[in-house]
């Protein structure tokens, strides 16, 4: 994982204008005096955007959104044909020549998943990538089903998840035909208030959090940054919501509602900028809703989400469900 993060960051520094810290040294094994993998990076001035957000004027937030659109366009312009993660090659290779290797994504690494006998890439298409992720879900919930520590309720939940896994596997070839060539590019999977660093004036100084960044299909990577996800809100919070907590600060609910309102305003700004700098990115995003819905089902499938996903699948098989599964899990 550390080796992939280092390769990804070297690629970003060499091939894009996205500001990130420079890597000074690293060790991708635990055979060292510290006993674990580590990376030493240069100091970058700035603090997480979330610490400044409420104090920044809307014009500054719009400027940041336009910058993020520019970064997305840069990454989209560097296309590949495999799904996986970068690794450092021989010293003779430049970062732009780094090969794509096994995928470094959270669902392949969590808990027992890291030990399960499933393909890990690089994947040639979305079909094989999603098949591997569904196999991991099957291993996890078959284990729960058979565990002597599981009670009747646990086994009932595990059975429901496994039923949904089977439905998804049955539907998979119709949404993602096997052996279909893919266009892919590097995607930051967690571009949020914490991974974006800014100075006291809201000027972007660095983007961090590249540990699980992977080269993913265009249909998956052409999406709103997590920073701009949220509920639609057409009006700002009412003055009556401007309540104060016991310590004299404005209550969290007000800021949550204000965030939803501001991101509602900023999403069209982001899309307008993407249309200007990279119209093909927008075309892919607008044409990939069904595939993103299917992948959301795979991503969000667990004992709590299985009932909702099962209902979505039944509605989809019988026609258009008329509601977005992805928005259910915002």
């Amino acid at each position: 994982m550390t080796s992939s993060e280092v390769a990804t960051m070297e690629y970003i520094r060499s091939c894009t204008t996205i500001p990130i810290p420079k890597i000074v040294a690293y060790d991708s094994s635990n055979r060292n005096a510290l006993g674990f993998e580590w990376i030493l990076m240069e100091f970058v001035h700035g603090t997480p955007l979330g610490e400044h957000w409420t104090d920044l004027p809307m014009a500054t937030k719009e400027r940041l959104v336009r910058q993020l659109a520019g970064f997305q366009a840069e990454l989209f312009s560097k296309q590949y044909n495999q799904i996986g993660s970068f690794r450092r090659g021989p010293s003779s290779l430049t970062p732009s020549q780094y090969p794509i290797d096994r995928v470094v994504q959270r669902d392949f690494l969590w808990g027992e998943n890291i030990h399960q006998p499933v393909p890990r890439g690089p994947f040639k298409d979305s079909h094989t990538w999603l098949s591997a992720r569904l196999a991991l879900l099957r291993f996890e919930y078959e284990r729960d089903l058979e565990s002597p520590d599981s009670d009747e309720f646990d086994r009932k939940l595990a059975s429901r998840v496994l039923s949904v896994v089977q439905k998804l596997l049955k539907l998979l070839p119709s949404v993602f035909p096997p052996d279909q060539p893919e266009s892919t590019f590097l995607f930051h999977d967690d571009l949020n208030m914490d991974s974006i660093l800014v100075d006291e004036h809201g000027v972007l100084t660095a983007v961090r959090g590249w540990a699980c960044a992977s080269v993913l299909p265009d249909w998956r990577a052409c999406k709103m940054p997590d920073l701009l996800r949220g509920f639609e809100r057409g009006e700002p919070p009412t003055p009556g919501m401007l309540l104060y907590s016991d310590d004299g600060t404005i209550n969290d609910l007000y800021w949550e509602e204000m965030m939803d309102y501001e991101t509602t305003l900023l999403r069209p700004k982001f899309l307008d900028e993407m249309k200007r700098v990279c119209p093909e990115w927008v075309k892919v995003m607008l044409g990939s809703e069904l595939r993103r819905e299917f992948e959301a089902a795979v991503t969000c499938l667990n004992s709590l989400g299985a009932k909702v996903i099962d209902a979505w699948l039944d509605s989809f098989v019988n026609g258009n469900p008329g509601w977005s599964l992805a928005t259910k899990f915002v």
Side-chain angles (χ1 to χ4, degrees):
M1 184 169 175
T2 297
S3 179
S4 175
E5 182 177 5
V6 169
T8 299
M9 293 183 69
E10 289 179 343
Y11 172 87
I12 291 295
R13 282 185 64 87
S14 173
C15 302
T16 77
T17 63
I18 301 172
I20 63 170
K22 181 180 179 180
I23 293 175
V24 177
Y26 75 97
D27 192 332
S28 58
S29 79
N30 58 8
R31 296 184 297 274
N32 54 56
L34 295 176
F36 52 78
E37 301 179 27
W38 57 268
I39 301 177
L40 178 65
M41 305 181 196
E42 68 177 1
F43 174 79
V44 176
H45 178 68
T47 50
L49 176 59
E51 296 181 18
H52 297 274
W53 186 263
T54 57
D55 299 321
L56 297 176
M58 196 62 176
T60 299
K61 296 171 184 176
E62 291 178 3
R63 185 190 70 231
L64 286 168
V65 164
R66 287 193 296 271
Q67 278 186 279
L68 295 181
F71 296 159
Q72 285 284 74
E74 280 191 82
L75 294 173
F76 182 80
S77 70
K78 304 175 193 317
Q79 291 280 313
Y80 295 88
N81 59 8
Q82 291 178 301
I83 300 167
S85 299
F86 287 125
R87 71 171 171 83
R88 300 179 89 238
S91 57
S92 59
L93 295 184
T94 64
S96 64
Q97 299 170 317
Y98 283 170
I100 297 173
D101 202 355
R102 291 159 50 121
V103 70
V104 179
Q105 285 184 290
R106 290 179 177 86
D107 45 357
F108 284 86
L109 303 174
W110 280 335
E112 292 297 315
N113 284 0
I114 196 169
H115 303 297
Q116 298 297 353
V118 301
R120 297 177 182 272
F123 299 101
K124 62 181 181 178
D125 55 37
S126 295
H127 185 277
T128 53
W129 174 52
L130 292 167
S131 293
R133 294 174 61 188
L134 287 166
L136 288 171
L137 284 166
R138 190 178 68 247
F139 278 121
E140 178 182 354
Y141 286 95
E142 284 178 348
R143 185 173 63 248
D144 289 350
L145 194 63
E146 299 166 2
S147 172
D149 296 327
S150 296
D151 58 23
E152 183 178 351
F153 182 70
D154 294 330
R155 286 189 285 273
K156 181 179 179 180
L157 292 178
S159 295
R160 170 175 280 173
V161 173
L162 289 170
S163 173
V164 176
V165 168
Q166 287 305 119
K167 289 183 179 181
L168 288 167
L169 283 169
K170 184 178 180 180
L171 185 60
L172 180 62
S174 63
V175 182
F176 298 98
D179 300 317
Q180 183 167 293
E182 295 278 0
S183 294
T184 62
F185 68 97
L186 180 64
F187 175 68
H188 191 303
D189 69 332
D190 202 19
L191 199 58
N192 56 37
M193 291 282 185
D194 187 61
S195 58
I196 298 169
L197 301 184
V198 298
D199 66 14
E200 60 273 18
H201 304 295
V203 175
L204 193 151
T205 59
V207 178
R208 62 182 182 178
W210 297 94
C212 291
S214 299
V215 178
L216 298 183
D218 287 2
W219 63 261
R220 173 62 176 81
C222 291
K223 58 173 288 189
M224 282 283 175
D226 283 357
L227 168 72
L228 296 178
R229 293 179 66 199
F231 296 103
E232 289 287 326
R233 184 179 177 89
E235 300 291 336
T238 61
M241 292 184 62
L242 190 60
L243 302 175
Y244 290 85
S245 303
D246 292 339
D247 61 359
T249 59
I250 298 174
N251 68 348
D252 291 341
L253 178 60
Y254 176 84
W255 292 123
E256 290 171 9
E257 297 283 354
M258 181 60 78
M259 171 66 81
D260 285 337
Y261 171 65
E262 290 182 338
T263 53
T264 298
L265 297 179
L266 290 169
R267 282 191 286 272
K269 301 288 185 183
F270 176 83
L271 284 178
D272 286 345
E273 184 66 7
M274 288 304 310
K275 289 175 184 176
R276 188 183 72 82
V277 298
C278 191
E280 183 63 24
W281 185 101
V282 180
K283 180 180 178 181
V284 172
M285 190 201 78
L286 294 177
S288 304
E289 183 176 0
L290 173 59
R291 284 175 286 182
R292 286 198 303 274
E293 288 280 282
F294 187 98
E295 199 263 347
V298 177
T299 300
C300 300
L301 182 54
N302 55 34
S303 57
L304 296 177
K307 185 176 181 179
V308 173
I309 295 169
D310 200 15
W312 180 84
L313 280 169
D314 287 343
S315 299
F316 176 80
V317 170
N318 294 323
N320 191 333
W323 51 278
S324 169
L325 178 63
T327 58
K328 289 282 186 181
F329 295 99
V330 169

